[in-house]
Amino acid sequence: MALFLVLVVLYSCSDNRGNAPSDGTTTTTTTDGSTTLTTTTTTTQKTSTTTTTKRITTTPRSTTTGTADSSLKNKVLPVPIIAQFPHYPTGCESVSAVMALRYYGESIDVGTFIDKHLPMDNTFKTIDGVRYGPNPYKHFVGDPSTSSSYGCMAPVIEKALTSYFGSGQRIKNTTGTPLSTLCSRYIDNGEPVLVWATIGMIETGKGVSWKLEDGSTFYWPLNEHCMVLIGYDDNRYYFADPYRGMVKSYSRWLCESRYKDIGMQSIAITK
């Protein structure tokens, strides 16, 4: 068990950037301090490694869709749940965007959203021993359907959603806004918000690096993850989590810490 945890810390990144759920039924409390609002049945996991980006890829339970629990009344929005596995192992950003769109009644599917609207680039090259690669603030790095890809930052999803709607009128790049403000400004108004944090709210750090076109060095943040903020109470924030395929909640202080670690990136889709 100790060896497995060391491997996760050293090699996890992108959406396969952490442990998949354990086999068996879910419980209301887990060791990372999170709680769930739903219970799922057992499935089989299979662990594999990929040397391309030095991460551990695991296959979580096969839950594909669901709906946020409405028992918390107006504090949790009924956002449809879509699991990113098995089809989009590194596609948490796009899956989160589609969950939010479906909340508004849009009929878009994840594959169409990616193919038609998501800017992608997987061009890596080495010049004089220096590795150059795509800018994750301009493109999704890789392909969301592959486990060896990385992901993207908020401006890329902002661009994809603007492409989908044909304008940016309903898209608000709320990067830099505290989670509490996102809740009072958007959740209370019935509007979900995409937020960038980490898988399971575990720690992040500097992962693999490459040079960008401007000569700066970019370090991929370990365990980077995108979810949909859908609710809150006095102590916790609630998310539609594509990695787990269910609603997850975490203590407010922990969410705020991990959100800050990834740059307080967020995108609100308004009515």
Side-chain angles (χ1 to χ4, degrees):
M1 180 63 179
L3 177 59
F4 179 77
L5 291 175
V6 171
L7 286 172
V8 170
V9 172
L10 290 177
Y11 297 119
S12 297
C13 77
S14 194
D15 283 324
N16 333 347
R17 332 163 208 198
N19 295 328
S22 302
D23 289 338
T25 57
T26 61
T27 61
T28 56
T29 305
T30 64
T31 56
D32 62 4
S34 65
T35 62
T36 64
L37 298 179
T38 56
T39 302
T40 57
T41 56
T42 60
T43 56
T44 301
Q45 297 185 77
K46 180 179 180 181
T47 301
S48 63
T49 60
T50 167
T51 58
T52 303
T53 55
K54 296 184 178 180
R55 69 194 66 185
I56 291 178
T57 302
T58 54
T59 305
R61 54 179 56 82
S62 59
T63 303
T64 56
T65 61
T67 304
D69 191 336
S70 60
S71 63
L72 294 180
K73 300 180 180 179
N74 294 333
K75 290 188 178 181
V76 173
L77 305 180
V79 171
I81 307 299
I82 305 174
Q84 66 190 76
F85 293 95
H87 302 297
Y88 306 102
T90 53
C92 61
E93 302 93 348
S94 294
V95 176
S96 292
V98 171
M99 283 194 286
L101 290 172
R102 288 193 177 179
Y103 166 76
Y104 285 115
E106 302 290 332
S107 60
I108 186 77
D109 62 81
V110 178
T112 301
F113 182 82
I114 291 171
D115 293 341
K116 292 188 175 182
H117 305 291
L118 183 68
M120 294 182 285
D121 188 353
N122 195 31
T123 306
F124 285 90
K125 57 187 177 182
T126 301
I127 302 176
D128 296 330
V130 179
R131 188 185 188 217
Y132 290 83
N135 187 334
Y137 289 90
K138 295 182 178 180
H139 299 89
F140 182 97
V141 182
D143 182 333
S145 65
T146 66
S147 61
S148 60
S149 296
Y150 293 91
C152 64
M153 303 305 168
V156 178
I157 296 301
E158 179 185 13
K159 185 175 181 179
L161 287 168
T162 299
S163 171
Y164 174 77
F165 283 115
S167 77
Q169 183 175 359
R170 294 179 59 188
I171 312 305
K172 307 296 181 185
N173 190 327
T174 49
T175 294
T177 305
L179 292 177
S180 59
T181 303
L182 293 176
C183 287
S184 62
R185 185 176 298 168
Y186 297 103
I187 301 302
D188 284 354
N189 195 42
E191 298 169 327
V193 183
L194 277 65
V195 298
W196 275 251
T198 61
I199 292 174
M201 296 298 171
I202 62 177
E203 292 185 0
T204 186
K206 290 183 177 181
V208 297
S209 66
W210 58 85
K211 289 282 188 180
L212 303 180
E213 57 188 9
D214 63 2
S216 63
T217 300
F218 177 81
Y219 292 88
W220 185 260
L222 294 173
N223 306 308
E224 175 269 342
H225 188 39
C226 181
M227 300 178 286
V228 185
L229 175 64
I230 61 174
Y232 68 100
D233 58 31
D234 290 341
N235 300 308
R236 311 181 77 80
Y237 291 114
Y238 294 81
F239 302 88
D241 185 354
Y243 186 82
R244 302 289 180 176
M246 64 177 66
V247 174
K248 298 287 289 183
S249 77
Y250 303 91
S251 63
R252 292 177 70 134
W253 70 266
L254 181 60
C255 295
E256 289 158 359
S257 177
R258 298 297 179 248
Y259 176 58
K260 182 178 180 180
D261 289 342
I262 307 297
M264 297 180 71
Q265 299 180 75
S266 59
I267 299 288
I269 304 177
T270 60
K271 296 177 181 177

